[in-house]
Amino acid sequence: MIELRKVTKFFQEEKAVDDISLTVHKGTIYGLLGSNGAGKTTLLKTLAGIYRPESGTVKVAGQAVFEHPETKRKIVFMPDTPYFFPQSSIRHMADFYRSIYPGWSEKRFEELSIVFKLDQGRKLSRFSKGMQRQAAILLGLSCMPDVLIMDEPIDGLDPVMRRQIKNLLFQEVAGRELTVIISSHNLREIEDLCDHVGIMHGGKMLIEKDLDDLKADTHKVQVAFRKESHEIPLAAKLQVLHREQRGSVHLFIVKGDRERIAAAFQVYEPYVFDLLPLTLEEIFIYEMGDAGYDAQPILL
Ligand SMILES: Nc1ncnc2c1ncn2[C@@H]1O[C@H](COP(=O)(O)OP(=O)(O)OP(=O)(O)O)[C@@H](O)[C@H]1O
């Protein structure tokens, strides 16, 4: 289990991570979403024990991470741009990881080498971006970590490889209770992969929820009323994230329980009433809008 309690990380005067607490249970996949500059990478690096927070605690399996190198050896952090030693090949990097990570498995490395058909003697700097990403995943999974932290891992991978990597992650999570934390701007991928999501903005965690609960909690309502608009009384009764009008049809994005939302609208006897689920991308955009970060209707 990973536990962060009231973690704050500064860069000079700037609070990149602001008083964040979260728990990630063993054998689950946690998706970290957020705007550009929200603090995701900083939070992931703090979690991996690369940064020491100014305040708060970061624990993996009950042990503080930054202070305990043996805990760090149970964690693999994959940065958004894979890093390899200059002039190195997969074989060189495998020697390095083998010497650092006590959990390194030769058997797993050989199995995964069949999946990732990469030339292990070739210089990694000559690999394409997607091949470098594959190499990082091959090496990272062969370390058999308890916790895998992946910063934007899907970037640059083709759809077949994305599917392959998702399957591998699911196997590791189900088979040996690997815990995964993944940050991504690709919400479609996160939606398929994660049990739990957190949305960050301006260093803060806006929402943190089980993905199914999050989706069950936010709805799109398309409604048309016979008489006048009922926007004002509805807004007072419900938590409306967004509203707009398209001709006679009103669109509301509302948080809360389905039945309660339906009951609030039915009072006004609408002649059109549809209560629809939102995609994670829609939830993200409306939640961000609610936090004051939305796309401006600007034509350039
Ligand atoms: N090494 C650093 N030195 C100074 N400021 C930094 C450093 N790293 C990050 N920051 C600042 O901290 C804030 C959070 O950055 P971070 O990289 O964690 O965001 P992010 O959510 O990962 O963004 P993105 O989605 O754009 O990758 C930003 O304002 C950034 O400028």
Side-chain angles (χ1 to χ4, degrees):
M1 186 159 86
I2 303 168
E3 280 179 293
L4 270 83
R5 291 290 164 262
K6 299 182 140 313
V7 168
T8 296
K9 171 76 198 151
F10 279 90
F11 289 112
Q12 289 88 39
E13 300 298 296
E14 187 187 351
K15 249 188 208 176
V17 169
D18 189 357
D19 195 28
I20 288 191
S21 298
L22 62 88
T23 303
V24 186
H25 295 284
K26 194 170 159 64
T28 61
I29 307 184
Y30 187 102
L32 192 59
L33 318 176
S35 49
N36 285 133
K40 301 179 296 297
T41 300
T42 309
L43 185 68
L44 294 183
K45 287 187 173 172
T46 310
L47 234 163
I50 297 167
Y51 290 151
R52 176 182 226 154
E54 270 69 41
S55 60
T57 55
V58 182
K59 290 186 177 172
V60 168
Q63 282 268 353
V65 177
F66 188 86
E67 294 76 7
H68 292 95
E70 70 279 12
T71 307
K72 289 186 196 171
R73 290 195 191 102
K74 295 178 186 162
I75 303 172
V76 164
F77 173 69
M78 288 185 196
D80 51 354
T81 309
Y83 174 78
F84 307 109
F85 295 137
Q87 310 295 327
S88 66
S89 63
I90 291 181
R91 246 175 245 140
H92 292 128
M93 291 307 297
D95 289 343
F96 171 71
Y97 280 109
R98 199 181 281 117
S99 69
I100 295 289
Y101 282 93
W104 174 272
S105 162
E106 216 51 52
K107 180 169 169 287
R108 196 66 181 137
F109 180 63
E110 277 161 27
E111 287 164 358
L112 291 171
S113 298
I114 298 167
V115 178
F116 299 103
K117 298 177 184 65
L118 299 167
D119 180 347
Q120 300 198 350
R122 193 175 175 205
K123 278 187 193 160
L124 281 153
S125 56
R126 301 212 174 131
F127 278 5
S128 72
K129 190 169 125 195
M131 288 158 82
Q132 290 190 8
R133 179 77 69 193
Q134 290 183 36
I137 293 172
L138 160 66
L139 292 161
L141 287 179
S142 300
C143 296
M144 303 287 279
D146 291 347
V147 175
L148 180 62
I149 301 173
M150 306 172 98
D151 198 359
E152 312 246 3
I154 317 284
D155 222 35
L157 292 171
D158 70 55
V160 173
M161 208 23 88
R162 286 210 293 264
R163 171 74 55 88
Q164 185 77 67
I165 286 162
K166 273 191 212 170
N167 288 341
L168 278 172
L169 291 180
F170 284 137
Q171 277 171 32
E172 299 268 330
V173 167
R176 59 177 198 88
E177 294 205 296
L178 171 69
T179 307
V180 183
I181 304 194
I182 191 164
S183 101
S184 180
H185 291 293
N186 189 330
L187 304 192
R188 188 71 210 91
E189 302 290 347
I190 291 279
E191 201 163 4
D192 286 352
L193 204 58
C194 297
D195 307 290
H196 214 89
V197 292
I199 303 181
M200 284 184 73
H201 181 60
K204 295 241 181 228
M205 190 64 85
L206 293 185
I207 316 179
E208 226 238 299
K209 256 195 166 147
D210 181 274
L211 184 53
D212 292 336
D213 291 348
L214 182 64
K215 292 178 81 176
D217 191 46
T218 315
H219 310 271
K220 179 168 22 183
V221 179
Q222 285 173 340
V223 64
F225 301 105
R226 270 172 229 291
K227 294 187 203 143
E228 74 277 25
S229 159
H230 301 289
E231 282 185 47
I232 294 162
L234 276 167
K237 280 190 215 162
L238 298 169
Q239 192 183 347
V240 178
L241 293 182
H242 175 83
R243 80 178 75 124
E244 63 186 68
Q245 192 169 354
R246 295 174 188 164
S248 59
V249 177
H250 298 263
L251 173 80
F252 289 85
I253 306 297
V254 194
K255 275 176 94 163
D257 174 66
R258 268 181 80 87
E259 280 70 36
R260 209 173 79 76
I261 294 169
F265 280 93
Q266 293 303 346
V267 169
Y268 302 104
E269 300 179 343
Y271 67 89
V272 174
F273 179 77
D274 286 319
L275 188 64
L276 307 163
L278 263 73
T279 62
L280 184 56
E281 180 158 324
E282 287 173 315
I283 295 173
F284 179 86
I285 287 170
Y286 292 123
E287 287 288 352
M288 281 293 167
D290 202 37
Y293 181 75
D294 46 3
Q296 301 299 314
I298 300 170
L299 285 176
L300 296 173

